[in-house]
DNA sequence: CCGGGTATTTGCGATAGCGCAAAACGGAAC
DNA sequence: GTTCCGTTTTGCGCTATCGCAAATACCCGG
């Protein structure tokens, strides 16, 4: 099996506090794979046979209801893990993972987790921290959905995406992977129609520039203001 | 310091796979305390100086926005941990914890966590699992808020409370701690008014019996049906 | 360069649920 | 028993947002 280039992963928070030799040992158990744009990595409900570290590209994790509605749980950026079902004690994946761009991942077999976690406490501790961070994010999202209107929620969602996966351009910050109105709707608990209306409005005010699966934040600061403004404060 | 009675905690999932001697060592680092009904255990934003295991009673974890709106993050039942800020790498509590009933807790100092986690991998693994389970619950809640109407969400919330903290009575299942319409609103992303209207409706159909901070599910099965029914299927 | 399919925009009517306000109720303290 | 305060109930108008439908616009493959 091809050796993984350590320089890509050494400085990830996931491996903070792991000694180089130990890291070597951890990486020896992984293989790497490439997923082309729009290909499925795993399906909700399938046996959790592996867990993943994204090296390159972007992955969308989405959860589907029995009746077919979907929500986007999160977008995975390079350097982040996903598919940790095993680590948190699930036999099946709770969501579906899809590459939204050509992506390269490291893959560990589920069976390797217990040994790795016991042998490398830093790895377990780091994983606990990332899962905890995701829990915080979920709570924040619940708080927003409970207390804010759609426009604010969309603003927050885009700002978060920009921070996580934004590419700085002269004209502003571009979300660095293809994302549709529908995706944003599924991140914010609304419909693609409403998202479209909101972005149209922003576009006419020069706040964003957007097109087919593409969004550029032209005036991030003014969007921050939008995101934080309380329900009443009206517009012109 | 008073020795903690092992029989109360031995069989908790948190300590699964921990040897009796080790458990003894873990418990030696804890002290216990009693919080009377409606007393604060810690405040959102405060230094995370301790983490907790609830032995008896019920605790509400709630998150507040800068503008003062609150949501209930969860209710803690006996045997569950809370205030794990440290374990997930936070220096400050992300929510406020309040005893909703006279409660007894075990308290470990934050500083004890890193050593315990490293020394007892089972403890770390179990904690990762509980945090993971909470993450799943949060995602479920987000999914519900995104796809269901208020009545279904309230139904789900009550069923979950009944499962977690229900007391079986002849007449049905009673939520075993004081809980107001406002609390339920804050768990489901709606207002106390709407919750009140919904419960009034259910009461007149004999589904529930409720009063001041008290709810009995008289016909859990019919509430399950309500919870699962899709948006359209109308009522009489 | 030309389809065909997907994504986006936009209009318009319907409505679930909010927000405000006021009244009724229930419990606890004295 | 009475008072006081927090909780619950209920009425009513309002509106943010949905849901449906139709028209564009855009991109990709051939």
């Amino acid at each position: 099996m091809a050796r993984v280039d350590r320089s890509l992963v050494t400085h990830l928070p996931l491996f903070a506090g792991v000694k180089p030799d130990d890291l070597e040992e951890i990486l020896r158990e992984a293989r790497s794979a490439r997923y082309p744009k729009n290909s499925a990595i795993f399906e909700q409900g399938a046996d959790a046979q592996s867990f993943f570290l994204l090296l390159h590209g972007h992955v969308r994790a989405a959860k589907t209801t029995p009746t077919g509605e979907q929500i986007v749980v999160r977008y995975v950026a390079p350097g982040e893990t996903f598919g940790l079902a095993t680590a948190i004690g699930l036999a099946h994946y709770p969501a579906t993972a899809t590459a939204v761009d050509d992506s390269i991942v490291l893959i560990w077999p589920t069976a390797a987790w217990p040994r790795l976690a016991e042998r490398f406490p830093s790895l377990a501790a780091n994983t606990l921290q990332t899962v905890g961070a995701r829990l915080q994010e979920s709570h924040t999202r619940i708080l927003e959905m409970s207390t804010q209107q759609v426009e604010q929620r969309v603003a927050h969602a885009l700002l978060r995406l920009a921070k996580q996966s934004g590419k700085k351009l002269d004209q502003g910050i571009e979300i660095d992977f293809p994302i549709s109105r529908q995706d944003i709707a599924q991140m914010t608990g609304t419909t693609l129609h409403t998202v479209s209306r909101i972005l149209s409005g922003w576009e006419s005010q020069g706040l964003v520039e957007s097109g087919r699966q593409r969004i550029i934040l032209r005036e991030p600061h003014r969007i921050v203001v939008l995101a934080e403004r309380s329900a009443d404060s009206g517009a012109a």
Side-chain angles (χ1 to χ4, degrees), chain A:
Chain A
M1 186 180 310
R3 187 74 60 82
V4 173
D5 182 355
R6 281 209 330 229
S7 71
L8 287 171
V9 298
T10 308
H11 298 100
L12 296 180
L14 175 65
F15 298 123
V18 175
K19 284 176 292 190
D21 285 356
D22 291 346
L23 180 56
E24 196 66 36
E25 181 178 340
I26 294 169
L27 292 180
R28 250 197 306 271
E29 308 219 18
R31 67 189 174 89
S32 77
R34 179 178 167 282
Y35 290 90
K37 181 172 171 171
N38 291 326
S39 60
I41 300 178
F42 56 76
E43 297 279 347
Q44 177 171 342
D47 283 357
Q49 295 176 335
S50 315
F51 58 94
F52 303 80
L53 170 63
L54 183 62
L55 294 179
H56 184 82
H58 286 278
V59 169
R60 184 183 67 171
K63 213 170 158 74
T64 306
T65 63
T67 56
E69 289 116 328
Q70 277 201 342
I71 61 157
V72 171
V73 172
R74 66 181 181 120
Y75 279 93
V76 183
E80 297 181 347
T81 50
F82 65 101
L84 297 183
T86 304
I88 62 177
L90 300 174
H92 304 274
Y93 294 115
T96 294
T98 311
V100 295
D101 250 349
D102 290 350
S103 296
I104 299 172
V105 302
L106 286 184
I107 308 181
W108 283 263
T110 274
W113 175 257
R115 183 176 63 257
L116 292 177
E118 176 145 2
R119 201 163 144 73
F120 307 112
S122 300
L123 186 66
N126 294 339
T127 301
L128 181 55
Q129 295 213 1
T130 70
V131 174
R134 288 182 208 165
L135 183 59
Q136 291 315 306
E137 287 159 22
S138 292
H139 288 162
T140 300
R141 194 164 155 186
I142 291 170
L143 192 63
E144 286 178 5
M145 289 186 65
S146 298
T147 62
Q148 302 183 331
Q149 341 207 151
V150 175
E151 186 170 23
Q152 272 89 55
R153 303 207 301 266
V154 171
H156 275 120
L158 290 186
L159 289 170
R160 256 179 248 124
L161 287 176
K163 182 172 290 183
Q164 185 209 34
S165 302
K167 190 164 81 182
K168 285 203 181 64
L169 306 180
D170 292 347
Q171 326 118 45
I173 304 176
E174 176 169 16
I175 309 294
D176 201 22
F177 54 84
I179 184 167
S180 70
R181 306 291 186 262
Q182 173 82 60
D183 293 323
I184 294 168
Q186 290 174 347
M187 298 181 72
T188 52
T190 182
T191 63
L192 78 165
H193 307 275
T194 299
V195 172
S196 177
R197 282 180 242 271
I198 288 170
L199 289 184
S200 294
W202 290 357
E203 186 132 23
S204 70
Q205 295 170 59
L207 292 179
V208 302
E209 178 186 329
S210 75
R212 202 187 174 78
Q213 310 207 95
R214 189 179 57 82
I215 299 178
I216 299 170
L217 309 188
R218 279 194 157 288
E219 306 233 21
H221 182 67
R222 285 174 63 197
I223 296 176
V224 170
V225 173
L226 258 188
E228 286 171 358
R229 133 171 123 189
S230 65
D232 44 271
S233 28

